[in-house]
Amino acid sequence: ILISQFSIHLDRLIKRLKSGKTIHNPLAVAIKSSNPTIYECATLIGHLISDRIQKPVPDHEIGFIAMHIGNALSEQIAAAHMIKAILFAPNYQNQISTITGQINKHFSDTLIIYNVVDDASQLDDLHYDLLICVGSYTETKQESIMISPFVNFNDINLLQQKITDIRHRKTKEVFKKELNTFFTPKLFYFGRKITSREQAFRVIVDGLTQENAVGPDYLDKLLQREKMSSTSFGKVAIPHSFNMTAEKSRGYVIINPSGIQWDSDNKVYIVIALAIDTNNKSLFRQIFDHISEIMVDDNN
């Protein structure tokens, strides 16, 4: 269904672009700010189309592409963040289906119960994120929680908080590991002198070049990606190239508390430039996912 519907959309999109007509998309800005990863995938598709037919693909049309691929991608992203749980229920075997049904009813999109055990010794060889104990508690090195056999309102709230805590911890652990290997103190600027996107790009390219991470053409690659669609997401910008062709993977961070004029109508306060080498293409997805997920939340 996705392929057939998307094919029809692409056919109509290409005809519009060739005729110089585009459709206004009132949701484009909201999609970009709330789902940076999906929008980034749509931008890459837009770039491939533009390169093929030699016509620019505006942000509004990229927003429509994102709407088409959003459901499929969001399911994959959600699956990657699912919490793997085990149900420990030694005395409630005949109520298992009712208990799991209640849990699935509230948490099917964030948690999956992939095993049920009634003996604590069975846990030794299993890998999981959360142990859900029903009625009685057992010691475990992993995260655990005890709920009642009736899965009441209080149990639901406890599970929700525990799931949130685990997801936050897992993201933080992975993100910290990535930060330690990807970013260095040398490639970090804090101050108020960099006030424009052009200045930021010069500093980024100079720093990454000195680290032998990118070649002299990296500036052109940043500008090419920026021309396609701004890499700012609210108060943060994540500039990068379309292709992962850096000499080594590095990131450059710029923070200006007074703001950097990124687009004509938008200031950013944090710039996180990414350069990824060919052998670490999956790293871009991981870094981009975690940075954007954290940074698009103004509270963070």
Side-chain angles (χ1 to χ4, degrees):
I1 295 175
L2 171 65
I3 293 174
S4 60
Q5 291 179 345
F6 191 41
S7 298
I8 294 171
H9 175 76
L10 286 181
D11 181 60
R12 293 172 179 171
L13 168 60
I14 291 170
K15 289 177 180 177
R16 286 199 300 272
L17 294 174
K18 287 182 175 179
S19 66
K21 299 177 182 178
T22 58
I23 301 175
H24 175 69
N25 186 345
L27 296 177
V29 175
I31 292 171
K32 182 178 182 179
S33 60
S34 61
N35 299 279
T37 299
I38 291 172
Y39 191 87
E40 184 62 29
C41 292
T43 302
L44 179 57
I45 293 172
H47 169 66
L48 296 173
I49 295 170
S50 178
D51 190 54
R52 181 69 63 88
I53 67 173
Q54 294 299 300
K55 296 287 183 180
V57 181
D59 281 349
H60 292 297
E61 295 288 6
I62 292 174
F64 282 120
I65 295 173
M67 291 172 69
H68 274 271
I69 66 174
N71 288 335
L73 286 176
S74 61
E75 287 178 5
Q76 292 182 28
I77 294 170
H81 289 86
M82 290 281 274
I83 301 298
K84 292 178 65 177
I86 290 180
L87 199 66
F88 176 65
N91 302 313
Y92 302 95
Q93 288 87 347
N94 24 337
Q95 286 183 259
I96 291 301
S97 59
T98 302
I99 295 169
T100 54
Q102 283 293 314
I103 293 174
N104 289 333
K105 176 182 175 182
H106 292 89
F107 303 106
S108 60
D109 58 340
T110 55
L111 180 145
I112 178 170
I113 299 175
Y114 82 101
N115 209 332
V116 179
V117 300
D118 57 10
D119 188 332
S121 63
Q122 297 173 283
L123 297 170
D124 295 339
D125 299 322
L126 299 175
H127 299 281
Y128 53 94
D129 300 310
L130 175 63
L131 179 67
I132 303 174
C133 302
V134 181
S136 59
Y137 183 75
T138 184
E139 289 292 333
T140 175
K141 294 180 180 179
Q142 299 296 95
E143 293 276 359
S144 60
I145 188 173
M146 189 172 79
I147 63 173
S148 72
F150 310 106
V151 193
N152 56 38
F153 181 76
N154 186 54
D155 295 326
I156 298 301
N157 285 337
L158 288 173
L159 272 168
Q160 181 62 67
Q161 184 59 54
K162 182 63 74 172
I163 290 170
T164 301
D165 291 344
I166 292 173
R167 295 181 74 173
H168 180 75
R169 175 181 54 77
K170 289 178 68 176
T171 299
K172 184 177 178 181
E173 288 173 354
V174 173
F175 192 46
K176 184 177 180 181
K177 181 180 179 182
E178 291 164 351
L179 287 175
N180 288 335
T181 57
F182 195 74
F183 296 94
T184 70
K186 289 182 181 178
L187 304 178
F188 185 93
Y189 171 90
F190 180 90
R192 303 175 191 270
K193 291 183 178 179
I194 299 175
T195 58
S196 69
R197 182 172 64 189
E198 291 71 24
Q199 287 178 302
F201 278 0
R202 284 197 293 272
V203 170
I204 289 165
V205 173
D206 287 347
L208 292 175
T209 303
Q210 290 174 17
E211 284 283 296
N212 297 316
V214 301
D217 61 342
Y218 187 63
L219 176 59
D220 293 334
K221 293 178 179 179
L222 288 179
L223 292 172
Q224 180 192 36
R225 170 61 186 83
E226 206 68 36
K227 184 179 179 181
M228 187 73 198
S229 180
S230 173
T231 56
S232 66
F233 300 90
K235 299 176 181 179
V236 180
I238 312 177
H240 55 278
S241 63
F242 279 117
N243 300 315
M244 313 303 162
T245 55
E247 297 300 320
K248 53 186 176 183
S249 297
R250 287 290 183 271
Y252 199 113
V253 180
I254 297 174
I255 298 176
N256 183 345
S258 299
I260 298 170
Q261 196 68 46
W262 201 258
D263 305 302
S264 59
D265 58 348
N266 184 44
K267 275 188 175 184
V268 301
Y269 299 85
I270 302 176
V271 179
I272 306 172
L274 305 177
I276 310 291
D277 71 86
T278 306
N279 297 321
N280 281 303
K281 290 184 178 181
S282 61
L283 182 64
F284 174 79
R285 164 70 186 274
Q286 295 164 10
I287 289 280
F288 190 91
D289 271 4
H290 291 138
I291 288 176
S292 61
E293 182 181 345
I294 293 168
M295 294 299 182
V296 296
D297 186 337
D298 283 347
N299 292 324
N300 292 332

